[in-house]
């Protein structure tokens, strides 16, 4: 019955991805010339022209874009100009590093952020709450790269507790390369994950605090108190459950942003993930890698939004008939 | 009690700290750049050549003072001015165990000559290469080429059998849309064999126990890691996670030197930085003068030269790491006389203003200075300093800074009036710079003479340098060319960029003027 809705959403998603790659291709004109980075300074003009021709970079952008779409539809994203290896291989190689980092940092943000937000909501005047709000203010205002460098200075250079760069002694489990297999490798993830988590953490603290304050003032909480339910049960089963609804939505939507913006954290810590791959590709004007990365990010965003849309359809009966009043 | 607990806790945490620097014979070295490929003929790029030099060798190589010495060739002679005959060292084998023969050398030189090769600058004059027997190679050049032997260290020898077995007969890869086995695997004769490589992350090398040279290197295992971010690179050196790191950013050199157990080797690099002025266009491309091109007037170029205080740039912007120079070629480049390093015209803003007035620009003019911002040490800041110095004589300079991927196509395409550029002669020979930077842009030369400086007399003298086999006469010729070039103010040389290699005290190594780390020269305590 709601097949139509699903199909139209999927079509919309496909258009978004095509539009993103079209805009990306239009912008590639301005990132520079990869040929100048692929040959040494002494290569002759004839050599450069020959390379440009072989790579098809001398053709109009529209044509290059159409060919990219055609190949991408068949799952072929071409070779990286910088590394000479298939772009898909590079992305798949780097994907675990970024996913582990983002998932772990989201876990840090949730596990710390929710209790901190609750404390700040329940005892707004306590010293600890003020401290929490101060930390969240710092997290919101300091740029990520600066936090990363400060952490390296404190925990690597001065204290000598944590390694300053890279993924360390990772373990290979099948095709998946992980930092979770040993403490030795896990240590390498602490600082990058915390750096990435800080912004999310402050967001969650503020959201949970606001929602909790609102929920705690509502009638059903008062009734629950009047019925003499234990304070702990009121807090966790009734108040928090209600306060978390918007938090969960935001965390879900944020996940896409975090994957996309792991770039800065990965650059500071030389974390070999997709963000670092993209940063290098931009400096090199490595068009196939940039195009594939941007498409992948578009797919991630679209998928998350699609999932949210479908969840709404399941939850809200009015949307199922496809003519809901709310749209 | 509580204090003890804290102490114990701290001790426990410290024990969990970073992995201690590797054992004496193993080192981890970090660089802001990584090799782009392992194919020996695909990309003439500093870091790529640095890594390759450990795995692959040429017929000859450079010693610690950059002089040519025998490597895979034991000896050579020249039966005629255009014929070079090399005797190969017997008993040399590749890392996979196959013996090196003259056929491998012929194959490799032909591969370096092929269309997709980026090593043609080194093989340019070669017209034929053949193997009369298993240990003899004959190389024939089109004309007597005095610089051939200077170029041969960079022409690396690979195994024909290995390359053909893995479909790597040509260095082309991306352009044919297929992967090149040789860009991620390596099989040379060099002092180190490749153990593993993750591009842009880590490359592990292990000493080759079967290397022909009896002078075996101290470093038995070396892990190259890439750390692109300057602050992180310095942090990794300070914590001891890496034993060697380069380049140390200028502002961090004192910090590293002040740290116990660490040192920084500094010195002039062979790369010379200079300004180019468009002298070909009738009117300025990017400037305020619309009916003429002031840079065509020698007096204007000299005025720019005299308005610039290279000492100030070297001490302030470059924090003392740069060496001011009056020559486009650094000392250490083959056939370059040291007396050329003094500046041709003194720093004198008043004289500069007078020259501008004489040329009809008493009010000065406005011009755009194109400048990379991610290529050279403090590149954009140097351009800002040039702008500030020229403002004093009335020339208003707009600095147009951009990434290298935009800068090189722009200035290479002659779409610039004024720009900041750096050049290293890749074979450390004067002819390379003369041909690429000083010669008029024609006949495949003057490719990076981006101001289109042109002088027929100089072009003729450059041709003589190419085939002058007498070292003394050749140096005289080069001196004559550079004196005339300075008189005409073809370019404005600024300084030699500085090198900065940070390392722990236990490492001793000569500083290579071409910024190429050579692990076989490392001595470990």
């Amino acid at each position: 019955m709601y097949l139509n809705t699903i199909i139209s959403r999927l079509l919309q998603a496909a258009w978004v991805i095509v539009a993103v790659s079209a805009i990306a291709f239009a912008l590639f004109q301005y990132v520079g010339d990869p040929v100048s980075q692929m040959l040494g300074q002494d290569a002759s003009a004839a050599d450069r022209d020959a390379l440009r021709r072989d790579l098809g970079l001398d053709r109009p952008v529209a044509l290059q874009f159409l060919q990219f779409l055609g190949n991408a539809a068949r799952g072929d994203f071409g070779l990286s100009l910088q590394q000479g290896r298939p772009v898909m291989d590079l992305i798949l190689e780097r994907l675990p590093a970024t996913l582990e980092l983002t998932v772990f940092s989201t876990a840090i943000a949730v596990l710390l952020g929710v209790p901190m937000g609750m404390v700040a909501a329940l005892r707004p005047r306590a010293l600890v709450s003020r401290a929490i709000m101060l930390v969240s203010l710092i997290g919101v205002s300091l740029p990520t790269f600066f936090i990363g460098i400060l952490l390296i200075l404190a925990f690597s250079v001065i204290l000598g507790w944590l390694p300053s760069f890279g993924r360390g002694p990772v373990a290979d489990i099948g095709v998946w390369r992980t930092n979770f297999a040993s403490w030795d490798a896990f240590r390498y993830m602490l600082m990058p994950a915390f750096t990435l988590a800080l912004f999310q953490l402050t967001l969650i603290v503020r959201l949970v605090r606001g929602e909790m304050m609102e929920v705690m003032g509502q009638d059903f909480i008062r009734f629950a108190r009047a019925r003499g339910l234990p304070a702990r049960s009121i807090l966790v089963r009734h108040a928090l459950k209600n306060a978390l609804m918007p938090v969960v939505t935001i965390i879900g939507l944020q996940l896409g942003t975090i994957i996309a913006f792991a770039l800065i954290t990965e650059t500071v810590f030389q974390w070999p993930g997709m963000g670092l791959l993209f940063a290098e590709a931009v400096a090199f004007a490595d068009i196939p890698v940039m195009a594939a990365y941007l498409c992948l990010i578009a797919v991630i965003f679209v998928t998350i939004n699609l999932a949210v849309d479908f969840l709404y359809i399941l939850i809200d009966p009015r949307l199922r008939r496809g003519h809901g009043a709310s749209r | 009690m509580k204090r003890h607990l804290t102490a114990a806790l701290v001790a426990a945490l410290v024990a969990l700290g970073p992995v201690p620097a590797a054992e004496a014979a193993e080192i981890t070295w970090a660089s802001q750049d990584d090799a782009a490929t392992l194919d020996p003929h695909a990309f003439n790029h500093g870091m790529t050549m640095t890594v390759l030099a450990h795995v692959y060798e040429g017929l000859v190589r450079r010693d610690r003072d950059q002089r040519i010495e025998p490597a895979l060739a034991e000896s050579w002679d020249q039966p005629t001015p255009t014929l070079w005959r090399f005797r190969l060292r017997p008993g040399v084998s590749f890392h996979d165990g196959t013996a090196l023969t003259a056929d491998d050398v012929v194959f490799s030189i032909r591969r370096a000559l092929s269309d997709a090769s980026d090593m043609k600058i080194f093989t340019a004059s070669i017209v034929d290469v053949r193997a009369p027997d298993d240990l003899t190679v004959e190389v024939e050049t089109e004309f007597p080429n005095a610089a051939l032997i200077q170029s041969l260290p960079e022409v690396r020898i690979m195994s024909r059998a290995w390359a053909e077995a893995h479909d790597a007969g040509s260095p082309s890869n991306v352009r044919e849309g297929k992967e090149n086995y040789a860009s991620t695997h390596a099989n040379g004769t060099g002092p180190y064999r490749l153990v593993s490589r993750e591009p842009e992350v880590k490359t592990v090398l292990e000493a080759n126990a079967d290397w022909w040279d009896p002078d075996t290197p101290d470093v038995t295992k070396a892990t190259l890691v890439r750390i692109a971010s300057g602050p992180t690179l310095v942090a990794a050196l300070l914590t001891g996670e890496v034993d060697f790191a380069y380049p140390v950013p200028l502002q961090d050199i004192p910090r590293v030197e002040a740290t116990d157990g660490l040192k920084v080797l500094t010195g002039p690099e062979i790369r010379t930085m200079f300004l180019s002025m468009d002298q070909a266009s009738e009117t300025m491309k990017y400037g305020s003068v619309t009916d003429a091109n002031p840079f065509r007037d020698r007096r204007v170029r000299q005025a720019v030269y005299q308005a610039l205080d290279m000492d100030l740039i070297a001490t302030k912007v470059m924090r003392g790491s740069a060496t001011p120079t009056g020559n486009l070629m650094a000392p250490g480049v083959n056939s370059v006389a040291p007396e050329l390093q003094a500046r041709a015209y003194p720093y004198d803003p008043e004289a500069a203003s007078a020259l501008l007035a004489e040329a009809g620009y008493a009010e000065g003019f406005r011009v755009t200075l194109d400048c990379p911002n991610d290529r050279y040490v403090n590149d954009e800041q140097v351009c800002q300093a040039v702008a500030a110095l020229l403002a004093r004589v009335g020339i208003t300079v707009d600095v147009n800074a951009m990434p290298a991927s935009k800068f090189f196509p722009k200035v290479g395409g002659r779409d610039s009036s004024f720009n900041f550029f750096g050049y290293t002669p890749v074979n450390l020979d004067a002819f390379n710079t003369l041909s690429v930077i000083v010669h008029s842009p024609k006949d495949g030369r003057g490719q990076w003479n981006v101001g289109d400086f042109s002088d027929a007399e100089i072009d003729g003298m450059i041709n003589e340098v190419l085939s002058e086999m007498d070292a003394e006469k050749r140096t005289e010729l080069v001196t004559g060319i550079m004196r005339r070039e300075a008189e005409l103010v073809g370019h404005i040389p600024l300084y030699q960029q500085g090198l900065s290699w940070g390392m722990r005290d236990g490492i001793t190594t000569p500083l290579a003027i071409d910024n190429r780390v050579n692990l076989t020269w490392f001595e470990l305590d």
Side-chain angles (χ1 to χ4, degrees):
Chain A
M1 187 162 66
Y2 36 81
L3 202 65
N4 279 347
T5 322
I6 293 177
I7 290 174
S8 80
R9 285 292 149 80
L10 284 175
L11 279 176
Q12 279 174 17
W15 274 117
V16 168
I17 293 167
V18 171
V20 165
S21 39
I23 295 170
F25 258 82
L27 292 177
F28 291 159
Q29 295 301 304
Y30 303 97
V31 296
D33 179 14
V35 170
S36 72
Q37 311 264 4
M38 294 174 70
L39 293 173
Q41 222 172 14
D42 291 300
S44 67
D47 275 355
R48 282 174 209 281
D49 290 343
L51 179 59
R52 187 169 287 113
R53 217 171 30 247
D54 286 347
L55 295 175
L57 292 170
D58 55 340
R59 291 171 309 160
V61 196
L63 220 71
Q64 292 183 41
F65 174 59
L66 285 179
Q67 178 164 28
F68 168 78
L69 275 190
N71 290 340
R74 287 184 281 118
D76 174 14
F77 286 90
L79 294 181
S80 155
L81 302 180
Q82 187 178 12
Q83 294 194 22
R85 298 170 56 215
V87 174
M88 267 339 269
D89 289 7
L90 290 181
I91 288 184
L92 291 177
E93 241 173 60
R94 300 291 190 102
L95 193 67
T98 297
L99 284 185
E100 288 197 346
L101 183 64
T102 48
V103 169
F104 183 51
S105 81
T106 304
I108 294 177
V110 172
L111 293 179
L112 290 179
V114 173
M116 282 165 77
M118 283 172 70
V119 169
L122 297 177
R123 304 196 202 298
R125 286 195 189 79
L127 199 65
V128 60
S129 301
R130 284 163 201 250
I132 288 171
M133 293 319 283
L134 184 73
V135 168
S136 86
L137 193 68
I138 293 172
V140 158
S141 28
L142 281 186
T144 310
F145 75 90
F146 190 63
I147 293 171
I149 290 173
L150 280 184
L151 287 180
I152 291 177
L153 180 66
F155 292 98
S156 298
V157 177
I158 297 175
L159 295 170
W161 292 352
L162 292 171
S164 59
F165 74 96
R167 279 186 89 182
V170 283
D172 287 320
I173 300 172
V175 291
W176 194 273
R177 178 161 283 194
T178 184
N179 275 77
F180 287 107
S182 67
W183 165 247
D184 216 22
F186 184 70
R187 291 186 318 128
Y188 280 80
M189 200 160 48
L190 291 175
M191 281 201 295
F194 186 75
T195 307
L196 193 58
L198 198 58
F199 183 78
Q200 234 184 333
L201 174 78
T202 58
L203 201 72
I204 292 173
V205 167
R206 284 166 177 263
L207 211 63
V208 169
R209 178 176 176 267
E211 290 293 328
M212 277 299 274
M213 280 176 138
E214 201 188 314
V215 172
M216 289 305 281
Q218 281 182 8
D219 289 344
F220 74 94
I221 297 289
R222 269 185 233 155
F223 281 124
R225 279 205 182 114
R227 280 177 60 197
L229 293 182
R232 192 192 160 81
S233 160
I234 294 175
L235 210 60
V236 177
R237 283 191 51 196
H238 300 280
L240 186 61
K241 225 175 170 182
N242 278 283
L244 276 189
M245 290 301 283
V247 177
V248 169
T249 314
I250 292 289
I251 292 172
L253 291 177
Q254 276 278 313
L255 195 64
T257 321
I258 301 262
I259 292 174
F261 293 108
L263 191 149
I264 295 165
T265 308
E266 290 185 1
T267 309
V268 171
F269 291 97
Q270 194 66 32
W271 186 264
M274 289 193 305
L276 191 60
L277 183 71
F278 182 66
E280 282 155 8
V282 171
F284 194 91
D286 193 343
I287 292 173
V289 172
M290 286 191 286
Y293 176 83
L294 291 174
C295 283
L296 183 71
I297 294 298
V299 168
I300 289 173
F301 269 93
V302 166
T303 311
I304 290 171
N305 279 299
L306 264 182
V308 171
D309 278 358
F310 288 148
L311 280 177
Y312 283 166
I313 291 173
L314 287 178
I315 291 164
D316 190 340
R318 285 170 300 176
L319 294 174
R320 282 181 208 167
R321 276 171 231 116
H323 52 77
S326 63
R327 307 249 141 183
Chain B
M1 180 67 209
K2 198 175 173 189
R3 189 180 303 156
H4 284 138
L5 202 67
T6 320
L9 199 68
V10 168
L13 283 166
V14 168
L16 296 171
V19 191
E23 286 161 39
E26 293 186 14
I27 69 156
T28 300
W29 52 311
S31 167
Q32 285 193 279
D33 206 357
D34 187 28
T37 171
L38 290 182
D39 189 299
H41 308 129
F43 190 21
N44 176 17
H45 161 250
M47 195 60 202
T48 304
M49 301 293 255
T50 301
V51 173
L52 282 171
H54 291 92
V55 182
Y56 288 99
E57 293 171 294
L59 289 172
V60 295
R61 65 180 184 189
R62 289 181 187 280
D63 68 7
R64 288 161 206 233
D65 299 316
Q66 309 294 339
R67 285 180 309 235
I68 298 292
E69 65 177 13
L72 293 182
E74 216 171 25
S75 63
W76 56 91
D77 62 345
Q78 268 188 283
T80 72
T82 56
L83 183 66
W84 297 70
R85 192 164 53 203
F86 296 90
R87 285 297 296 170
L88 295 190
R89 192 178 295 278
V92 173
S93 58
F94 289 98
H95 296 156
D96 67 357
T98 49
L100 168 82
T101 67
D103 184 49
D104 295 310
V105 178
V106 170
F107 167 77
S108 300
I109 293 178
R110 289 203 179 130
R111 196 174 186 270
L113 277 163
S114 70
D115 277 348
S117 158
D118 195 27
M119 300 298 144
K120 291 199 282 277
I121 182 80
F122 302 114
T123 52
S125 60
I126 299 176
V127 286
D128 191 25
V129 50
R130 47 189 183 254
D133 64 63
D134 262 6
L135 288 177
T136 308
V137 176
E138 286 180 353
V139 173
E140 203 174 320
T141 59
E142 191 184 345
F143 43 80
N145 181 357
L148 181 74
I149 203 79
Q150 296 288 331
S151 296
L152 287 181
E154 311 295 351
V155 181
R156 297 177 209 287
I157 307 304
M158 63 199 301
S159 151
R160 180 200 284 265
W162 180 82
E164 287 180 349
H166 295 103
D167 191 23
S170 155
S172 71
N173 45 358
V174 188
R175 48 174 90 203
E176 284 166 12
K178 64 171 177 122
E179 272 190 272
N180 172 4
Y181 185 82
S183 70
T184 44
H185 301 77
N187 177 36
T189 56
Y192 291 88
R193 62 175 79 226
L194 179 74
V195 177
S196 66
R197 172 163 160 88
E198 262 180 87
E200 304 289 315
V201 181
K202 155 168 113 166
T203 306
V204 183
L205 301 173
E206 190 183 60
N208 170 16
D210 303 322
W211 195 33
W212 55 268
D213 192 332
D215 188 9
T216 51
D218 276 12
V219 176
T220 54
K221 190 177 173 194
T223 305
L224 169 67
V225 291
R226 180 183 188 208
I227 306 179
S229 147
T232 314
L233 182 86
V234 173
L237 185 62
L238 293 175
T239 59
E241 285 168 86
V242 302
D243 306 284
F244 183 99
Y246 77 124
V248 177
L250 296 186
Q251 67 272 18
D252 295 318
I253 293 174
R255 170 87 169 85
V256 176
E257 278 178 333
T259 306
D260 261 350
L262 295 178
K263 62 181 175 185
V264 183
L265 287 189
T266 54
E269 188 183 356
I270 205 149
R271 168 176 287 134
T272 302
M273 307 304 306
F274 54 89
L275 299 171
S276 297
M277 299 151 288
D278 171 19
Q279 295 153 55
S281 307
E282 290 297 328
T283 58
M284 280 182 112
K285 286 190 175 111
Y286 297 96
S288 61
V289 185
T290 50
D291 56 346
N293 178 358
F295 288 139
R296 286 174 73 94
D297 190 324
R298 199 202 68 84
R299 291 167 298 187
V300 174
R301 303 200 294 271
Q302 187 183 334
V304 173
Y305 195 142
Q306 294 206 269
L308 292 174
D309 184 354
M310 285 51 151
D311 291 334
L312 187 80
I313 294 173
T315 50
K316 298 294 177 204
V317 188
M318 301 300 284
R319 301 184 191 228
S321 74
T323 311
T325 183
N327 189 3
L328 291 173
M329 289 175 282
V333 173
N334 189 38
S335 299
V336 170
E339 69 261 24
L340 288 168
Q341 301 311 313
R343 57 182 291 167
Y345 304 94
Y347 167 61
D348 187 346
E350 276 168 36
S353 295
L355 279 165
L356 281 176
E358 204 185 307
Y361 299 101
E363 303 295 311
F365 56 89
R366 194 180 192 101
V367 65
T368 300
L369 175 63
D370 293 309
C371 182
N373 58 13
D374 61 355
R375 179 69 184 86
Y376 309 113
V377 179
N378 289 3
D379 37 18
E380 189 174 352
Q381 291 92 314
V382 171
C383 290
Q384 300 289 1
V386 166
L389 287 164
L390 291 181
R392 293 191 195 165
V393 298
I395 302 175
T396 310
V397 173
D398 302 310
V399 174
N400 180 22
M402 65 197 99
S405 58
K406 292 202 70 95
F407 174 80
F408 289 107
K410 186 174 199 288
V411 302
R414 304 301 194 264
D415 183 26
S416 174
S417 289
F418 191 30
N419 58 66
F420 175 66
F421 201 91
Y423 194 78
T424 306
V426 282
N427 57 358
L428 307 189
D429 183 73
F431 178 75
N432 181 224
T433 299
L434 293 175
S435 160
V436 175
I437 304 288
V438 183
H439 195 282
S440 306
K442 60 179 184 198
D443 309 331
R445 291 186 183 158
Q447 193 186 345
W448 291 107
N449 175 4
V450 291
D452 287 343
F453 163 74
S454 174
D455 181 68
E457 195 177 315
I458 284 183
D459 289 353
M461 289 161 87
I462 291 176
N463 258 336
E464 287 177 51
V465 173
L466 178 59
S467 298
E468 180 55 69
M469 296 290 179
D470 183 290
E472 214 167 290
K473 280 191 196 152
R474 199 166 186 257
T475 304
E476 265 170 44
L477 258 175
V478 173
T479 306
I481 293 171
M482 291 324 290
R483 289 241 189 273
R484 184 167 168 79
E485 198 269 351
E487 201 177 296
L488 299 170
V489 204
H491 301 77
I492 299 175
L494 297 175
Y495 57 86
Q496 283 173 256
Q497 196 166 283
L499 294 167
S500 53
W501 293 4
M503 65 198 85
R504 62 177 165 83
D505 280 341
I507 299 176
T508 313
T509 174
L511 183 68
I513 50 174
D514 53 0
N515 204 20
R516 300 231 185 129
V517 169
N518 187 331
L519 295 172
T520 64
W521 294 342
F522 278 39
E523 282 162 32
L524 303 177
D525 286 349

